Amino acid sequence: MRTKEKQSNHGMIEMTTRQADRLTPAFEAEADELVSHYPVSKRSASLPLLHFWQNHFGFVDDSGVEWIAAKLDLTPINILELVTFYPWFRREAAGRTVIRVCRTLACAMAGGYEVKEKFCEAVGLDPHSEHHGFGSAPPTTADGKFSVEFVECLASCGSAPVALINDDLVENINASDIPALVEKLK
Amino acid sequence: MANFLSTPHPKERRIIFENISKPGYAPDISTYLTHGGYESLRKALAMKPSEIIDAVKAANLRGRGGAGFPCGTKWSFIKYDDGKPHYIVVNGDESEPGTFKDRYILHQDPHQLIEGLAISAFATNTHLAYIYIRCEFPHAARIVWNAIKEARAKGFLGKNILGSGFDLDIFVHQGAGAYICGEETSLLESLEGKRPYPRIKPPYFPAVLGLYMKPTIVNNVETLCHVKHIIRLGAAEYAKMGTPGDGGTRTMCVSGDVMRPGTYELPCGAVTLRELIFDVCGGLKPGRSLKAVIPGGSSAKVMRADETYKLKVKGPDGTMTEKEIPMLDVVMDASTLQSVGTMIGSAGVMVLDDTRDMLWALNNLNQFYAHESCGQCTPCREGSLWMSKMTTRMLSGDTLPADPGNLKNVADNIAGRTVCAFGEACSWPTQSFLDKFPEEFKRVDT
Ligand SMILES: Cc1cc2nc3c(=O)[nH]c(=O)nc-3n(C[C@H](O)[C@H](O)[C@H](O)COP(=O)(O)O)c2cc1C
Ligand code: SF4
Ligand code: FES
């Protein structure tokens, strides 16, 4: 098994192994099942496999890009160009809890910017740190517990302001409740 | 959960949202079956496919995704017996700011969509369909998957559906956080596993060269749910609920400065803006007055509260006369909004009261479009970024007399010069905000 040292986004040196060296037969079977949803062209399974990979490992490393490409008879750039286009995918680890605060108009009118600031303060991140995408991880706390970022409209403008915390939508957020909310997530 | 009235507002007519937020209603198939589920599919399978398409046409159903194209007409571009595979792709990307309706269908009533989709597939000789769901709805993707499996186990999907000889497979496909994937040709590229750059039309109309270059129908989630009810109620009964050019009901999403924001299902053309804001949504916050309304998702041109419009109205003797109406008397249907220079779009109505700074609001939207441009066309990629940078700078107090003119110039040079309608979507806010609220963009040298 190959290992390499990697400078993570929150400044700690971590030892990482190639993700593709840690695959199980169950993982492979599930990946094959996903490919079977696309009887006409298996290239269509690129996004599903990227989601599956990122859900499993937390991010997609070079070995993941190569593995998915090989599985679908593509070249790695066909997969990498998706990772760098779509805001959802990342090439580095994010926090265990990812807080995505809606930035768009209805939420901003209801205090969305303050909500994001309060989340940053509550988890200990610089409220003005920015996330530039292109595969980078959102701003993440040094202990790797939390990431906070702005995202665009989450299609819940009637209950603004909202945030997506991992898989769950939190609606009608009151900025003053955020410290208690974060405490529960810890 | 969003703010739903536990009993519908008297102006509402809940058909699509009949079971949304209803106590005891679960997304599983047994609940659906006890509510008359899949009866319309049974009925449709006994009809001729062409009869179904005729019914959808007669119902005057317009697409609910934003462009408002007549649904039956779209379907008839697909030739039933052309020997090619056909596909239906359901647009569940729901990412136009101000729009929040499909999320409730996907989370709470997935079988309604599956039934509408199965009927549509039968009508168009389609045997493979994908439901594209934005990845910010992870629970919805699981719920819809589960519903597909349930429907298959009961014989409503798969091979030889209910003994009719008709086969249909449906799969869920998740997006990855990009607004542009809501544009139908971008969505198809995304589904093909490529970077989701929209395709140029012509020649890439989905009905001709769609998914895998085969005839394809892309329809919004809500649109396909309406198909079920057209079959259930009959086209005439369904059409009667709306206006001649815009049949049935429509889920309207109201957000911003109203007392009761939320999703309301209203017959098309049943309310004016006044009734929508002051009656259905409980009015503005105490002491506030109305400033502006964005009527059809963030891309629709803004309306100003104190403006009036000249509308052509047909008198009882058939002659057309011109009538001047205040903004609040505009009827919320596709053709009226079009004739006052904006659009019903996705029916995402954003309300702004007198406390709102229009430069600030426009800057918020400009940042959205700058972030979401796919970058394929130079005017859109560069222009959306410039508009966003300019309004950000202006908002910081650093304004130049030439700013409004330059801003308009950039917007004017995007619209009409791009591969996809995002070009219009990102220039319309800037053009209309500058046009309607010029005084808010001149704040120099005081
Ligand atoms: C930039 C852009 C974004 C769009 N986003 C969506 C969307 O999120 N959901 C949707 O249903 N349609 C969206 N549309 C409209 C689709 O291109 C297409 O017209 C629609 O899905 C067709 O379905 P319908 O006829 O049932 O409305 C978008 C269009 C553009 C130009
Ligand atoms: S108009 Fe904008 S979003 Fe549409 S294809 Fe061109 S660059 Fe992409
Ligand atoms: S603007 Fe925040 S959910 Fe739509």
Side-chain angles (χ1 to χ4, degrees), chain B residues 243-256:
Chain B
T243 63
D246 202 355
T249 61
R250 189 186 250 286
T251 56
M252 295 207 147
C253 318
V254 188
S255 61

Side-chain angles (χ1 to χ4, degrees), chain A residues 33-34 36-48 51 55 74 78-82 84-89 100 103-106 108-110 113 131 151-159 164 166-169 171-172, chain B residues 1-3 87 94 97-100 103 128 130 134-139 142 145 171-178 181 190-197 212 255-257 261 350-352 356 360-361 364-365 367-368 371-372 374:
Chain A
E33 213 276 318
L34 287 171
S36 78
H37 298 173
Y38 303 94
V40 182
S41 163
K42 53 182 183 170
R43 183 171 185 176
S44 285
S46 315
L47 280 195
H51 277 298
N55 289 343
L74 300 168
N78 299 133
I79 300 301
L80 186 60
E81 69 173 357
L82 304 181
T84 54
F85 183 92
Y86 288 102
W88 196 259
F89 299 126
R100 298 181 168 94
R103 189 208 64 84
T104 321
L105 189 55
M109 284 165 62
Y113 276 75
H131 180 205
V151 291
E152 299 299 339
C153 180
L154 287 167
S156 193
C157 328
S159 49
L164 188 66
N166 287 342
D167 282 1
D168 299 319
L169 185 73
E171 300 169 88
N172 296 309
Chain B
M1 187 41 59
N3 321 304
Y87 305 112
E94 185 150 70
T99 316
F100 44 101
R103 74 147 51 244
L128 180 58
Y130 290 95
R134 62 181 299 189
C135 68
E136 294 86 345
F137 297 171
H139 293 302
R142 283 190 282 271
W145 256 125
F171 297 100
V172 169
H173 188 90
Q174 286 180 279
C181 292
S190 179
L191 186 47
E192 289 186 8
K194 301 173 187 153
R195 263 198 177 197
Y197 292 138
Y212 309 129
S255 61
D257 297 319
M350 302 172 109
V351 179
L352 285 77
R356 301 299 170 185
W360 175 88
N364 183 285
L365 295 180
Q367 291 190 2
F368 171 82
H371 186 260
E372 299 300 334
C374 85

